[in-house]
Coordinates of all heavy atoms in Angstrom, one line a residue:
L7 N 123.2 153.1 196.9 CA 123.3 154.1 195.8 C 122.8 153.4 194.5 O 123.4 152.4 194.1 CB 124.7 154.6 195.6 CG 124.9 155.6 194.4 CD1 124.2 156.9 194.7 CD2 126.4 155.8 194.2
I8 N 121.7 153.8 194.0 CA 121.1 153.2 192.7 C 121.5 154.2 191.6 O 120.9 155.2 191.5 CB 119.6 153.0 192.8 CG1 119.3 152.2 194.1 CG2 119.1 152.3 191.5 CD1 117.8 152.0 194.3
V9 N 122.4 153.7 190.7 CA 122.9 154.5 189.6 C 122.0 154.3 188.4 O 121.8 153.1 188.0 CB 124.3 154.2 189.2 CG1 124.8 155.1 188.1 CG2 125.2 154.4 190.5
G10 N 121.4 155.3 187.9 CA 120.3 155.1 186.9 C 119.0 154.9 187.7 O 118.1 154.2 187.2
G11 N 118.9 155.4 188.9 CA 117.8 155.1 189.8 C 116.4 155.7 189.4 O 115.4 155.3 189.9
Y12 N 116.4 156.6 188.4 CA 115.1 157.1 187.9 C 114.7 156.4 186.6 O 113.7 156.9 185.9 CB 115.1 158.6 187.8 CG 116.3 159.2 187.1 CD1 116.4 159.2 185.7 CD2 117.3 159.8 187.8 CE1 117.5 159.8 185.1 CE2 118.4 160.4 187.2 CZ 118.5 160.4 185.8 OH 119.6 160.9 185.2
G13 N 115.4 155.4 186.2 CA 115.1 154.7 185.0 C 114.0 153.6 185.3 O 113.6 153.5 186.4
E14 N 113.7 152.8 184.3 CA 112.5 151.9 184.4 C 112.8 150.9 185.5 O 111.9 150.6 186.4 CB 112.3 151.2 183.1 CG 111.1 150.4 183.0 CD 109.8 151.2 183.0 OE1 109.8 152.3 182.4 OE2 108.8 150.8 183.6
V15 N 114.0 150.3 185.5 CA 114.3 149.2 186.5 C 114.7 149.9 187.8 O 114.3 149.4 188.9 CB 115.4 148.3 186.0 CG1 115.8 147.3 187.1 CG2 115.0 147.6 184.8
G16 N 115.5 150.9 187.8 CA 116.0 151.6 189.0 C 114.8 152.1 189.9 O 114.9 152.0 191.1
R17 N 113.8 152.6 189.3 CA 112.6 153.1 190.0 C 112.0 152.0 190.8 O 111.6 152.1 192.0 CB 111.6 153.7 189.1 CG 111.9 155.0 188.5 CD 110.9 155.4 187.4 NE 111.1 156.8 187.0 CZ 110.3 157.8 187.5 NH1 109.3 157.6 188.3 NH2 110.6 159.0 187.1
K18 N 111.9 150.8 190.2 CA 111.2 149.7 190.9 C 112.1 149.1 192.0 O 111.6 148.7 193.0 CB 110.8 148.6 189.8 CG 109.7 149.2 188.9 CD 109.4 148.3 187.7 CE 108.4 149.0 186.8 NZ 108.1 148.3 185.6
I19 N 113.4 149.1 191.7 CA 114.3 148.6 192.8 C 114.2 149.5 194.0 O 114.1 149.1 195.1 CB 115.8 148.6 192.3 CG1 115.9 147.5 191.2 CG2 116.8 148.3 193.4 CD1 117.3 147.6 190.5
A20 N 114.2 150.8 193.8 CA 114.1 151.8 194.9 C 112.8 151.6 195.7 O 112.9 151.6 196.9 CB 114.2 153.2 194.3
K21 N 111.7 151.5 195.0 CA 110.5 151.3 195.7 C 110.5 150.1 196.6 O 109.9 150.0 197.7 CB 109.3 151.3 194.7 CG 109.1 152.7 194.1 CD 107.9 152.6 193.0 CE 107.7 154.0 192.4 NZ 106.6 153.9 191.4
I22 N 111.1 149.0 196.1 CA 111.1 147.7 196.9 C 112.0 147.9 198.1 O 111.6 147.6 199.2 CB 111.6 146.6 196.0 CG1 110.6 146.2 194.9 CG2 111.8 145.3 196.8 CD1 111.1 145.3 193.8
L23 N 113.2 148.5 197.9 CA 114.2 148.6 199.0 C 113.8 149.6 200.0 O 114.2 149.5 201.2 CB 115.6 148.9 198.4 CG 116.2 147.8 197.6 CD1 117.5 148.3 197.1 CD2 116.4 146.6 198.5
L24 N 113.0 150.6 199.7 CA 112.6 151.7 200.6 C 111.8 151.1 201.8 O 111.7 151.6 202.9 CB 111.8 152.8 199.9 CG 112.7 153.9 199.3 CD1 111.8 154.9 198.5 CD2 113.5 154.6 200.3
S25 N 111.1 150.0 201.5 CA 110.3 149.4 202.5 C 111.1 148.8 203.7 O 110.7 148.7 204.8 CB 109.4 148.2 202.0 OG 110.2 147.2 201.4
S26 N 112.4 148.4 203.3 CA 113.3 147.9 204.4 C 114.4 148.9 204.8 O 114.9 148.8 205.9 CB 114.0 146.7 203.8 OG 113.1 145.7 203.4
Y27 N 114.7 149.9 203.9 CA 115.8 150.8 204.2 C 115.3 152.2 203.9 O 115.9 152.9 203.1 CB 117.0 150.5 203.4 CG 117.4 149.0 203.4 CD1 117.1 148.1 202.4 CD2 118.2 148.5 204.5 CE1 117.5 146.8 202.5 CE2 118.6 147.2 204.6 CZ 118.2 146.3 203.6 OH 118.6 145.0 203.6
P28 N 114.3 152.7 204.6 CA 113.8 154.1 204.4 C 114.9 155.1 204.8 O 115.7 154.9 205.8 CB 112.6 154.2 205.3 CG 112.8 153.2 206.4 CD 113.5 152.0 205.7
N29 N 115.0 156.1 204.0 CA 116.0 157.2 204.2 C 117.5 156.8 204.0 O 118.4 157.5 204.3 CB 115.9 157.8 205.6 CG 114.5 158.4 205.8 OD1 114.0 159.2 205.0 ND2 113.8 158.0 206.9
N30 N 117.7 155.6 203.4 CA 119.0 155.1 203.1 C 119.2 154.8 201.7 O 120.2 154.1 201.3 CB 119.3 153.9 204.0 CG 119.6 154.2 205.4 OD1 118.9 153.7 206.3 ND2 120.5 155.0 205.7
V31 N 118.3 155.2 200.8 CA 118.4 155.0 199.4 C 118.7 156.3 198.7 O 118.0 157.3 198.9 CB 117.1 154.4 198.8 CG1 117.2 154.2 197.3 CG2 116.8 153.0 199.4
C32 N 119.7 156.3 197.8 CA 120.1 157.5 197.0 C 119.8 157.2 195.5 O 120.3 156.2 195.0 CB 121.6 157.8 197.2 SG 122.0 158.2 198.9
I33 N 119.2 158.1 194.9 CA 118.9 158.0 193.5 C 119.8 158.9 192.7 O 119.8 160.1 192.8 CB 117.4 158.5 193.2 CG1 116.4 157.7 194.1 CG2 117.1 158.3 191.7 CD1 116.4 156.2 193.9
A34 N 120.7 158.2 191.9 CA 121.8 158.9 191.2 C 121.6 158.8 189.7 O 121.1 157.8 189.1 CB 123.1 158.4 191.6
G35 N 122.1 159.9 189.0 CA 122.1 159.9 187.5 C 122.6 161.2 187.0 O 122.9 162.1 187.8
R36 N 122.7 161.3 185.7 CA 123.3 162.6 185.2 C 122.4 163.8 185.3 O 122.8 164.9 185.5 CB 123.6 162.4 183.7 CG 124.8 161.5 183.4 CD 125.1 161.4 181.9 NE 124.1 160.7 181.2 CZ 124.0 160.6 179.9 NH1 125.0 161.1 179.1 NH2 123.0 160.0 179.3
H37 N 121.1 163.5 185.4 CA 120.1 164.6 185.4 C 119.6 164.8 186.9 O 118.7 164.0 187.3 CB 119.0 164.3 184.4 CG 119.5 164.1 183.0 ND1 120.0 165.2 182.2 CD2 119.6 163.0 182.3 CE1 120.3 164.7 181.1 NE2 120.1 163.4 181.1
L38 N 120.1 165.8 187.5 CA 119.7 165.9 189.0 C 118.2 166.2 189.1 O 117.5 165.7 190.0 CB 120.5 167.1 189.6 CG 120.2 167.4 191.0 CD1 120.5 166.2 191.9 CD2 121.0 168.6 191.5
E39 N 117.6 166.9 188.1 CA 116.2 167.3 188.3 C 115.3 166.0 188.1 O 114.3 165.9 188.9 CB 115.8 168.3 187.2 CG 114.4 168.8 187.3 CD 114.1 169.5 188.7 OE1 115.0 170.1 189.3 OE2 113.0 169.3 189.1
K40 N 115.7 165.1 187.3 CA 114.9 163.8 187.2 C 115.0 163.1 188.5 O 114.0 162.5 188.9 CB 115.4 163.0 186.0 CG 115.1 163.6 184.6 CD 115.6 162.6 183.5 CE 115.3 163.2 182.2 NZ 115.7 162.3 181.1

Side-chain angles (χ1 to χ4, degrees):
L7 178 68
I8 306 177
V9 181
Y12 48 77
E14 192 67 36
V15 177
R17 285 171 171 260
K18 291 169 182 174
I19 295 173
K21 289 176 180 178
I22 294 170
L23 290 177
L24 277 175
S25 62
S26 302
Y27 309 98
N29 300 307
N30 287 119
V31 175
C32 300
I33 305 300
R36 286 183 297 176
H37 304 288
L38 182 59
E39 188 54 36
K40 289 183 179 180

